Amino acid sequence: MNERIFLSSPHMSDEGYELEYVKEAFDTNWIAPLGENVNGFEKELAEKVGSKAAAALSSGTAAIHLALRAADVGEGDIVFCPSLTFSATANPIIYQNATPVFIDSNYETWNMCPKALKKAFEKYPEVKAVIVVHLYGLSADMDKIMKVCREHNVTVIEDAAESLGGYYKGQHTGTFGDYGIFSFNGNKIITTSGGGMLVSNNEEKVAKVRFWATQSRDQARHYQHSELGFNYRMSNVVAGIGRGQLKVLDQRVEKKRYIFDFYKRELGKLDGIEFMPSNEWDAPNYWLSSMTLTGKVRPVDIFEALEAENIESRPVWKPMHLQPFFEKYDFVGTGVSEKLFENGVCLPSDTKMTDKDLEKVVNMIKGLWLK
Ligand SMILES: *Cc1c(COP(=O)(O)O)cnc(C)c1O
């Protein structure tokens, strides 16, 4: 069997930066959920994205959960959430006993449709918070979305789990709203094996998030708790991997862009293929190269042909309003997210892919058009 080509897999630096930081943690015996790597990773990531403060956490999901708590979202509150996303965006709304209302995408961005968002505000003027996602590293239309959200005085949380290294009009995604979150799960553009980060310009709230994430221990010699706590802090070992990975983030974005350009150049003219949108105001990180198919070759033809060669590809996220667990919640839109799911293909976008690997994928796909 050929060596597997992945959609997106961990890619440590050639220089071994990650191991140096991890070794430092061992040498100083800071194998703990605090230490120099945690502080350093928070500072370095905040600087990279242009945010005042950051809290390193155990996952992106934990970061969304604590962002909702920081937004004071609780029992019965309504939270708008894009339908086209990974379930981790929506699950923390349920952890808080709040109610998600799912918002459709538009074709221009694949992300939250500002028009559908406006309609949702008319229907639910009492909404407490809005979660915006930057899917596959593509920016949502932040000017329009922030304008409506500010008019309604609602807290905005940006799920930038997939868009680290991606910019909207020169500003890093995840820094437009009140809170932004990132993920360092194994398949993300950089990884710590698992982890997340919450960023905000509100330093007081970030301090509060760190407090909640370490079991809400009050300042006292004995164990004293006035609030519900969580065990959500990132370990100092894991943060060391993150500091090393952050040094190669720009390289990873460059390679992801190269992969996208390669596919678009080779496949873009095939009948029925349309690549994910390119907007002049957007500088995506191209986390996954994705496209839609509306001709006679269907997504399943590609999944099956590539899998037969041990190459991984995937459908676009299945919308939340179509998921058995979430289908009882309201959806505002016209069905764009459903169409993107039906017709969407995420191509292997692993930064370790060689030109030979890319040519192989491209030739397999072109072959389907000759049948
Ligand atoms: C990966 C991902 C998350 C969750 O991050 P974890 O670190 O895996 O908890 C949240 N939202 C989106 C859109 C993601 O892709």
Side-chain angles (χ1 to χ4, degrees), residues 63 105 108 120-121 133 149 166 171 202 256 271-272 274 277 282 310 332 339 344 355 360:
S105 295
E108 293 75 53
F121 273 117
V133 179
C149 289
Q171 184 177 335
N202 188 333
K256 294 271 191 191
D271 196 38
E274 195 173 339
D282 194 11
N310 205 20
V332 180
K339 282 273 172 276
D355 278 9
K360 185 172 169 187

Side-chain angles (χ1 to χ4, degrees), residues 43-350:
K43 187 166 163 284
E44 287 148 16
L45 187 121
E47 268 167 20
K48 178 77 193 171
V49 304
S51 191
K52 273 196 190 148
L57 302 169
S58 53
S59 70
T61 310
I64 298 171
H65 189 191
L66 295 187
L68 288 169
R69 289 187 76 85
D72 207 19
V73 168
E75 176 120 36
D77 286 334
I78 286 167
V79 178
F80 294 162
C81 174
S83 188
L84 192 71
T85 187
F86 180 44
S87 64
T89 313
N91 284 334
I93 302 171
I94 310 297
Y95 302 165
Q96 283 302 99
N97 297 313
T99 304
V101 169
F102 294 112
I103 315 288
D104 209 358
S105 295
N106 62 10
Y107 287 116
E108 293 75 53
T109 63
W110 285 22
N111 286 304
M112 185 180 268
C113 171
K115 278 190 199 138
L117 177 63
K118 266 188 202 163
K119 278 208 190 108
F121 273 117
E122 282 161 24
K123 197 166 174 189
Y124 300 99
E126 74 282 18
V127 55
K128 195 76 177 265
V130 176
I131 305 180
V132 184
V133 179
H134 305 289
L135 218 59
Y136 304 129
L138 303 168
S139 305
D141 196 344
M142 290 314 288
D143 281 352
K144 284 187 193 151
I145 289 171
M146 288 308 295
K147 185 165 176 281
V148 205
C149 289
R150 290 305 178 226
E151 279 166 14
H152 290 85
N153 226 346
V154 72
T155 303
V156 177
I157 298 165
E158 280 178 270
D159 176 348
E162 300 179 5
S163 70
L164 184 60
Y167 295 80
Y168 172 87
K169 295 187 178 173
Q171 184 177 335
H172 202 289
T173 51
T175 63
F176 291 83
D178 301 278
Y179 305 99
I181 77 93
F182 298 97
S183 165
F184 312 108
N185 205 333
N187 62 356
K188 297 303 194 303
I189 191 158
I190 62 169
T191 183
T192 60
S193 74
M197 192 80 79
L198 177 144
V199 299
S200 177
N201 285 331
N202 188 333
E203 290 168 275
E204 239 171 82
K205 285 284 193 180
V206 172
K208 191 82 199 209
V209 162
R210 289 194 198 103
F211 170 77
W212 288 328
T214 43
Q215 307 286 23
S216 298
R217 283 181 60 185
D218 294 343
Q219 297 278 353
R221 176 169 292 133
H222 57 277
Y223 284 88
Q224 172 86 13
H225 305 276
S226 316
E227 286 186 62
L228 179 64
F230 299 85
N231 184 4
Y232 276 174
R233 203 71 165 120
M234 181 182 279
S235 105
N236 195 51
V237 177
V238 157
I241 306 176
R243 293 181 84 179
Q245 283 271 281
L246 206 51
K247 288 187 194 283
V248 292
L249 173 61
D250 292 345
Q251 275 178 50
R252 297 291 177 266
V253 174
E254 206 175 297
K255 181 65 189 270
K256 294 271 191 191
R257 187 190 302 121
Y258 176 85
I259 292 170
F260 177 77
D261 289 344
F262 194 104
Y263 284 137
K264 196 169 176 182
R265 186 174 64 239
E266 294 294 326
L267 302 174
K269 291 194 181 70
L270 290 175
D271 196 38
I273 284 193
E274 195 173 339
F275 273 85
M276 60 193 201
S278 297
N279 292 298
E280 86 283 349
W281 36 259
D282 194 11
N285 70 0
Y286 298 100
W287 175 54
L288 294 185
S289 287
S290 306
M291 60 185 191
T292 54
L293 298 178
T294 49
K296 73 176 200 312
V297 176
R298 299 304 301 145
V300 65
D301 300 324
I302 293 192
F303 304 141
E304 283 175 0
L306 293 181
E307 198 51 52
E309 292 292 318
N310 205 20
I311 300 169
E312 187 183 16
S313 61
R314 285 280 174 90
V316 161
W317 298 121
K318 181 174 177 177
M320 289 304 115
H321 74 281
L322 303 177
Q323 300 285 355
F325 182 76
F326 288 110
E327 66 191 5
K328 64 173 178 274
Y329 300 104
D330 200 6
F331 167 72
V332 180
T334 56
V336 174
S337 52
E338 198 167 339
K339 282 273 172 276
L340 290 169
F341 166 61
E342 280 168 14
N343 297 326
V345 174
C346 298
L347 293 167
S349 309
D350 198 277

Side-chain angles (χ1 to χ4, degrees), residues 16-41 234-244:
Y17 298 132
E18 298 85 355
L19 264 181
E20 280 172 38
Y21 287 114
V22 170
K23 186 170 182 305
E24 215 169 276
F26 273 74
D27 290 347
T28 54
N29 201 36
W30 282 108
I31 315 295
L34 79 174
E36 207 34 59
N37 283 335
V38 172
N39 301 338
F41 191 30
M234 181 182 279
S235 105
N236 195 51
V237 177
V238 157
I241 306 176
R243 293 181 84 179

